[in-house]
Amino acid sequence: MSRYIYSIIRCLPDPQTGEFVNYGAIAGDPVTGDWGIRQLSRTDRIRRFAPVAVLDVASGFMLRLETMIDAQRTPLESEILDEEWLRGLHHDHRNIVQLSPPAPILANSAQEALELIFGHMIIDPVPQPRQVSMNKDAITRELRDVYRRVDIDPSLVRKRPQVFVGAHVNYTVDFAIANGHAVQLTQAWSFRRSSLDEVSMQVKAWGYALDRLRGGEEARVIDTATRQISTIDAAVDLQVVVMPPETASQERCFDEAKEIFAGLGAQVHSLDDANAVGARAEMLVKGLESAG
């Protein structure tokens, strides 16, 4: 086992009262650079007393940390994620998002450290580990790994970029392969969820934005981390990776979504077939380089 350090990430709906709820955790080995981050599988309990704007702040913070962890795995990355870095996050974040003081934990990997933390210090209403594999995070983690395994410059993989269509429509997609021009958009959906109304509304909102794109309206992709803008055309490759349903009600929600996927000409894959998304992206990037 190795010495890892961790902090519990807390969300404070009203920092003045000091009341908080544990939102997630970050753990890493400063020596090897093995870092991981995880948030609650469900935020239903938090929503009872935290406004949507507060949850958006916490979610955005988790996304920024995830982006930093992804970035430090690439060559020539200047920022070192070590104990001082984590201590700095603890010191600097004293508002809606706060981190507990870094503490040591023995584990074989960052993921094992997070399992221990969630098993003993954070109450997650969804049983572990079975249900974790059923939410959307499991799909996006696999897609990140898929894109790392193919022959694509990591800087082309845009995580959680915003797609703007026309003057007023925008939607945050999970991944875009873009560098001045977007060649692929990829979205993950889990239909093994209890909040099916929420899934249905999200699919419809996503479908509405992309239907406007398919219709030929002017559109662009903006990387939320770098603010780089890429053009996008109506024929962009559209990929969807799903966690398929198990119950009858989940199946009905999935059937409705499949009609939207088909209408957009999206390629739909199960999680087991996610490698096909990376292979398609690699082919598109090589074709773009050849054309250039």
Side-chain angles (χ1 to χ4, degrees):
M1 287 191 173
S2 300
R3 178 185 181 273
Y4 281 74
I5 54 172
Y6 75 91
S7 286
I8 293 175
I9 299 167
R10 298 164 175 166
C11 175
L12 287 78
D14 184 355
Q16 292 183 341
T17 67
E19 295 180 349
F20 68 86
V21 63
N22 292 330
Y23 193 80
I26 180 171
D29 182 340
V31 177
T32 65
D34 175 27
W35 286 84
I37 187 169
R38 180 166 141 190
Q39 72 178 59
L40 290 176
S41 302
R42 290 171 55 182
T43 57
D44 303 29
R45 186 168 61 93
I46 306 176
R47 289 196 190 102
R48 294 171 188 168
F49 65 95
V52 173
V54 169
L55 294 180
D56 285 345
V57 171
S59 178
F61 176 76
M62 297 288 283
L63 177 60
R64 288 194 297 276
L65 285 188
E66 188 174 284
T67 301
M68 294 174 76
I69 290 171
D70 283 343
Q72 62 91 37
R73 297 189 180 107
T74 62
L76 304 179
E77 178 62 33
S78 59
E79 182 158 19
I80 298 174
L81 307 189
D82 56 14
E83 190 161 355
E84 286 305 309
W85 169 76
L86 187 57
R87 199 170 299 281
L89 291 178
H90 159 66
H91 180 270
D92 295 341
H93 290 81
R94 303 281 179 153
N95 205 327
I96 291 174
V97 174
Q98 296 184 8
L99 287 82
S100 65
I105 187 171
L106 291 177
N108 291 309
S109 68
Q111 292 306 314
E112 181 178 301
L114 290 170
E115 288 288 343
L116 292 169
I117 294 164
F118 268 74
H120 297 282
M121 300 177 225
I122 297 179
I123 299 174
D124 194 340
V126 180
Q128 304 291 336
R130 184 173 183 267
Q131 289 291 338
V132 169
S133 66
M134 293 183 180
N135 70 16
K136 176 172 173 166
D137 289 343
I139 310 175
T140 54
R141 285 196 299 270
E142 177 61 25
L143 283 168
R144 284 197 299 271
D145 290 340
V146 163
Y147 284 128
R148 291 189 191 111
R149 291 195 292 266
V150 296
D151 186 18
I152 294 177
D153 185 334
S155 68
L156 300 183
V157 182
R158 313 291 176 175
K159 304 176 186 70
R160 300 289 293 166
Q162 287 186 298
V163 175
F164 288 83
V165 184
H168 305 291
V169 177
N170 72 86
Y171 195 91
T172 300
V173 299
D174 289 322
F175 295 94
I177 306 301
N179 189 21
H181 181 72
V183 296
Q184 184 184 81
L185 301 179
T186 302
Q187 195 73 10
W189 298 106
S190 175
F191 292 91
R192 297 187 194 178
R193 292 176 54 181
S194 57
S195 54
L196 294 176
D197 288 343
E198 182 180 353
V199 177
S200 178
M201 286 190 295
Q202 289 173 347
V203 172
K204 289 174 182 175
W206 168 86
Y208 174 75
L210 293 184
D211 185 58
R212 298 275 294 265
L213 169 66
R214 287 293 202 221
E217 291 192 43
E218 184 178 355
R220 62 199 185 279
V221 175
I222 300 181
D223 188 319
T224 52
T226 66
R227 307 310 299 173
Q228 180 173 355
I229 300 175
S230 298
T231 60
I232 183 171
D233 57 44
V236 66
D237 182 62
L238 187 57
Q239 301 286 328
V240 171
V241 181
V242 303
M243 190 74 75
E246 287 186 322
T247 67
S249 57
Q250 292 170 354
E251 188 70 49
R252 287 192 292 272
C253 181
F254 186 40
D255 286 342
E256 182 182 49
K258 284 192 291 188
E259 292 186 9
I260 295 174
F261 300 156
L264 294 170
Q267 303 258 333
V268 182
H269 308 268
S270 67
L271 186 58
D272 293 337
D273 190 38
N275 284 329
V277 176
R280 174 67 174 164
E282 182 177 343
M283 184 185 73
L284 291 168
V285 169
K286 289 182 176 178
L288 194 62
E289 291 172 346
S290 299

